[in-house]
Amino acid sequence: MQRRAQAEHRPPAVQRRVSALPTDAERRLALRRMKVLATSLLAVAAVVFAVAFALQDRYPWLGYVRAAAEGAMVGALADWFAVTALFRHPLGLRIPHTAIIPTRKDEIGASLGEFVETNFLSDAVVAGKLGTIDLAGAVADWLTEPQNSRRVVAESFRGLTGLVALLDDDRMREALEAVVRTHVVAPVWGPPLGRLGARVLDSGGHHEAVDLLLDRLDEWLAANPEAFGPVVSRRLPSWLPSFVDRMIDERLHAEALRFVREMRDDPDHRLRRSLDEYLAQLADRLQHDEATIDRLELAKGRAFDDPRIRELAASTWTAARSAAMDALSDEDGELRRRAEAVVADVARRVLADDDLRASLNRRLTDAALHLVTSYRSDISHVITETVQSWDAAETTEKIETQVGRDLQFIRINGTVVGALAGLAIYAVATGVSALL
């Protein structure tokens, strides 16, 4: 089931190649059949030899049959010994240089690792192979198909969802707090803020902020004239008539409104100039006045040590994590559709731009060469250590299952070649004897 599920996620060409490969059970059955066939040929040759040997005095032509059968037996036995000696001791006899695979398993693993490293993972082989492949174009062409881009995005989002789910909330909050304290809180704020403020003042960028503030203040004053009543009237003598209170309130409100509008409409207003001077002095003090810098650092420390700030950071992480999980898990969500559209658009751009595709191929080749150069020894060691970790009997069974069927053809061929050789030798010997 697992093998079938994995095959369903492979491209069609790869699925066809995988489905064409026989299973281990099928290989073992084919091996047993070939062993029976090779042994049966040996048995047939032995029976033919016995019959021919017994009757050759009565029928001289059976000498040729006996010679062929004798050669077939010799060839079959010799090749049986050679094939068997690869995997085990023939007949259980510990003859030198037999059971080669189980006794030299570790050396075979080391040789296999070195062979792969030298012949498959060399820079020349990798660069030469990748140089003949338009890898970027092939991937881009594959991604232009909607089902493929959808699949890539789905798999990527599934991996991200799993990663986010694995994150421990407490540890992430601690990590985020450590990062913020190291890179945000710990550095001195004064000089950078002073330099930023000086640049903003030089460019006049603060004027828009002042205009916006004055606009909002004008709107508020116009909409809330009663706000001056409690501020002014309660401070007047109680014996004054009430209409006097209202006159004073209205007058103050009108003057305040007029003053704000004058500031808003006059870019060269004296209060604006005073504000510019104050901000310029503040920017300078933030850069050069130690007392101002220290006061800012003290205020910053109190703000970030406030438990409410920490609670806000914790709730922010929790909300961000929940939002990320919801967005990544929603198969029909806007984020996934946009991601699919971006993947397909990038693929189309790569296909349409030959220079971009060539650049990507060069980068992929360079990346592959870097990986090969950095890790080919590790890959070789993995092969070596994997083979060395196998049990000798298990290794023998694995290798015999994979190649044993083909090795049985050696026994069959030995039987046939031995028969022909025996017949040829007997014929030549008989012919020479007749001539002499």
mmCIF file of all heavy atoms in Angstrom, residues 21 26 39 77 117 121 136 200 217 276 296 313 329 379 383-384 418:
data_model
loop_
_atom_site.group_PDB
_atom_site.id
_atom_site.type_symbol
_atom_site.label_atom_id
_atom_site.label_comp_id
_atom_site.label_asym_id
_atom_site.label_seq_id
_atom_site.Cartn_x
_atom_site.Cartn_y
_atom_site.Cartn_z
ATOM 1 N N LEU A 21 9.073 -2.386 -12.748
ATOM 2 C CA LEU A 21 10.057 -3.113 -11.963
ATOM 3 C C LEU A 21 9.362 -4.208 -11.163
ATOM 4 O O LEU A 21 8.340 -3.978 -10.515
ATOM 5 C CB LEU A 21 10.789 -2.163 -11.018
ATOM 6 C CG LEU A 21 11.664 -1.096 -11.680
ATOM 7 C CD1 LEU A 21 12.244 -0.173 -10.616
ATOM 8 C CD2 LEU A 21 12.769 -1.726 -12.497
ATOM 9 N N GLU A 26 8.447 -11.364 -6.594
ATOM 10 C CA GLU A 26 8.514 -11.831 -7.982
ATOM 11 C C GLU A 26 9.941 -12.215 -8.365
ATOM 12 O O GLU A 26 10.157 -13.192 -9.095
ATOM 13 C CB GLU A 26 7.982 -10.736 -8.909
ATOM 14 C CG GLU A 26 6.498 -10.457 -8.735
ATOM 15 C CD GLU A 26 6.043 -9.215 -9.492
ATOM 16 O OE1 GLU A 26 6.912 -8.383 -9.855
ATOM 17 O OE2 GLU A 26 4.824 -9.082 -9.731
ATOM 18 N N THR A 39 19.363 -26.740 -12.771
ATOM 19 C CA THR A 39 19.630 -28.045 -12.149
ATOM 20 C C THR A 39 19.008 -29.166 -12.982
ATOM 21 O O THR A 39 19.586 -30.269 -13.095
ATOM 22 C CB THR A 39 19.058 -28.056 -10.715
ATOM 23 O OG1 THR A 39 19.635 -26.974 -9.964
ATOM 24 C CG2 THR A 39 19.384 -29.364 -10.012
ATOM 25 N N LEU A 77 28.546 -28.184 -13.686
ATOM 26 C CA LEU A 77 29.085 -28.261 -12.331
ATOM 27 C C LEU A 77 30.075 -27.123 -12.045
ATOM 28 O O LEU A 77 30.076 -26.546 -10.953
ATOM 29 C CB LEU A 77 29.760 -29.614 -12.115
ATOM 30 C CG LEU A 77 28.816 -30.819 -12.010
ATOM 31 C CD1 LEU A 77 29.594 -32.119 -12.010
ATOM 32 C CD2 LEU A 77 27.953 -30.710 -10.754
ATOM 33 N N GLU A 117 31.297 7.557 -5.768
ATOM 34 C CA GLU A 117 31.912 8.877 -5.607
ATOM 35 C C GLU A 117 32.772 9.250 -6.805
ATOM 36 O O GLU A 117 32.750 10.383 -7.283
ATOM 37 C CB GLU A 117 32.754 8.890 -4.331
ATOM 38 C CG GLU A 117 33.460 10.223 -4.085
ATOM 39 C CD GLU A 117 34.279 10.205 -2.806
ATOM 40 O OE1 GLU A 117 34.260 9.188 -2.087
ATOM 41 O OE2 GLU A 117 34.964 11.220 -2.538
ATOM 42 N N LEU A 121 29.664 10.946 -9.019
ATOM 43 C CA LEU A 121 29.575 12.226 -8.314
ATOM 44 C C LEU A 121 30.771 13.127 -8.585
ATOM 45 O O LEU A 121 31.013 14.064 -7.820
ATOM 46 C CB LEU A 121 29.448 11.975 -6.797
ATOM 47 C CG LEU A 121 28.210 11.193 -6.358
ATOM 48 C CD1 LEU A 121 28.228 10.978 -4.855
ATOM 49 C CD2 LEU A 121 26.936 11.905 -6.777
ATOM 50 N N ALA A 136 15.708 24.062 -15.828
ATOM 51 C CA ALA A 136 14.784 25.151 -15.502
ATOM 52 C C ALA A 136 13.581 25.140 -16.438
ATOM 53 O O ALA A 136 12.432 25.319 -16.010
ATOM 54 C CB ALA A 136 15.506 26.491 -15.565
ATOM 55 N N VAL A 200 14.447 63.820 8.157
ATOM 56 C CA VAL A 200 13.046 64.156 7.887
ATOM 57 C C VAL A 200 12.843 65.667 7.915
ATOM 58 O O VAL A 200 12.160 66.241 7.048
ATOM 59 C CB VAL A 200 12.130 63.467 8.918
ATOM 60 C CG1 VAL A 200 10.686 63.963 8.766
ATOM 61 C CG2 VAL A 200 12.169 61.955 8.734
ATOM 62 N N LEU A 217 -7.411 68.632 14.211
ATOM 63 C CA LEU A 217 -7.719 69.513 15.329
ATOM 64 C C LEU A 217 -8.799 70.527 14.955
ATOM 65 O O LEU A 217 -9.709 70.821 15.746
ATOM 66 C CB LEU A 217 -6.442 70.230 15.786
ATOM 67 C CG LEU A 217 -6.569 71.147 17.011
ATOM 68 C CD1 LEU A 217 -7.096 70.370 18.210
ATOM 69 C CD2 LEU A 217 -5.230 71.808 17.327
ATOM 70 N N ASP A 276 9.477 73.782 14.296
ATOM 71 C CA ASP A 276 10.628 73.294 13.530
ATOM 72 C C ASP A 276 11.910 73.440 14.332
ATOM 73 O O ASP A 276 12.769 72.532 14.338
ATOM 74 C CB ASP A 276 10.749 74.059 12.210
ATOM 75 C CG ASP A 276 9.613 73.717 11.245
ATOM 76 O OD1 ASP A 276 8.903 72.720 11.515
ATOM 77 O OD2 ASP A 276 9.434 74.430 10.242
ATOM 78 N N LEU A 296 15.730 58.834 27.266
ATOM 79 C CA LEU A 296 15.027 57.999 26.286
ATOM 80 C C LEU A 296 15.247 56.518 26.585
ATOM 81 O O LEU A 296 14.306 55.704 26.506
ATOM 82 C CB LEU A 296 15.501 58.329 24.868
ATOM 83 C CG LEU A 296 14.895 57.487 23.748
ATOM 84 C CD1 LEU A 296 13.384 57.659 23.699
ATOM 85 C CD2 LEU A 296 15.512 57.853 22.395
ATOM 86 N N ALA A 313 2.777 41.057 23.332
ATOM 87 C CA ALA A 313 3.639 40.264 22.451
ATOM 88 C C ALA A 313 3.169 38.817 22.392
ATOM 89 O O ALA A 313 3.136 38.198 21.322
ATOM 90 C CB ALA A 313 5.080 40.338 22.932
ATOM 91 N N SER A 329 -4.057 26.094 5.982
ATOM 92 C CA SER A 329 -4.887 24.885 5.955
ATOM 93 C C SER A 329 -6.095 25.010 5.035
ATOM 94 O O SER A 329 -6.691 23.994 4.666
ATOM 95 C CB SER A 329 -5.373 24.559 7.379
ATOM 96 O OG SER A 329 -4.271 24.397 8.258
ATOM 97 N N ILE A 379 28.142 11.173 1.049
ATOM 98 C CA ILE A 379 27.276 10.207 0.361
ATOM 99 C C ILE A 379 27.980 8.868 0.235
ATOM 100 O O ILE A 379 27.386 7.800 0.446
ATOM 101 C CB ILE A 379 26.877 10.750 -1.019
ATOM 102 C CG1 ILE A 379 26.048 12.032 -0.866
ATOM 103 C CG2 ILE A 379 26.102 9.707 -1.808
ATOM 104 C CD1 ILE A 379 25.744 12.719 -2.172
ATOM 105 N N ILE A 383 26.806 5.152 1.850
ATOM 106 C CA ILE A 383 26.727 3.861 1.152
ATOM 107 C C ILE A 383 27.568 2.817 1.863
ATOM 108 O O ILE A 383 27.126 1.690 2.127
ATOM 109 C CB ILE A 383 27.172 4.023 -0.311
ATOM 110 C CG1 ILE A 383 26.220 4.961 -1.057
ATOM 111 C CG2 ILE A 383 27.236 2.667 -1.001
ATOM 112 C CD1 ILE A 383 26.663 5.299 -2.463
ATOM 113 N N THR A 384 28.807 3.195 2.199
ATOM 114 C CA THR A 384 29.714 2.255 2.869
ATOM 115 C C THR A 384 29.158 1.808 4.209
ATOM 116 O O THR A 384 29.113 0.606 4.514
ATOM 117 C CB THR A 384 31.091 2.910 3.063
ATOM 118 O OG1 THR A 384 31.618 3.287 1.791
ATOM 119 C CG2 THR A 384 32.042 1.952 3.747
ATOM 120 N N GLY A 418 29.515 -26.389 -22.527
ATOM 121 C CA GLY A 418 30.251 -27.605 -22.176
ATOM 122 C C GLY A 418 29.893 -28.757 -23.100
ATOM 123 O O GLY A 418 30.774 -29.542 -23.511
#
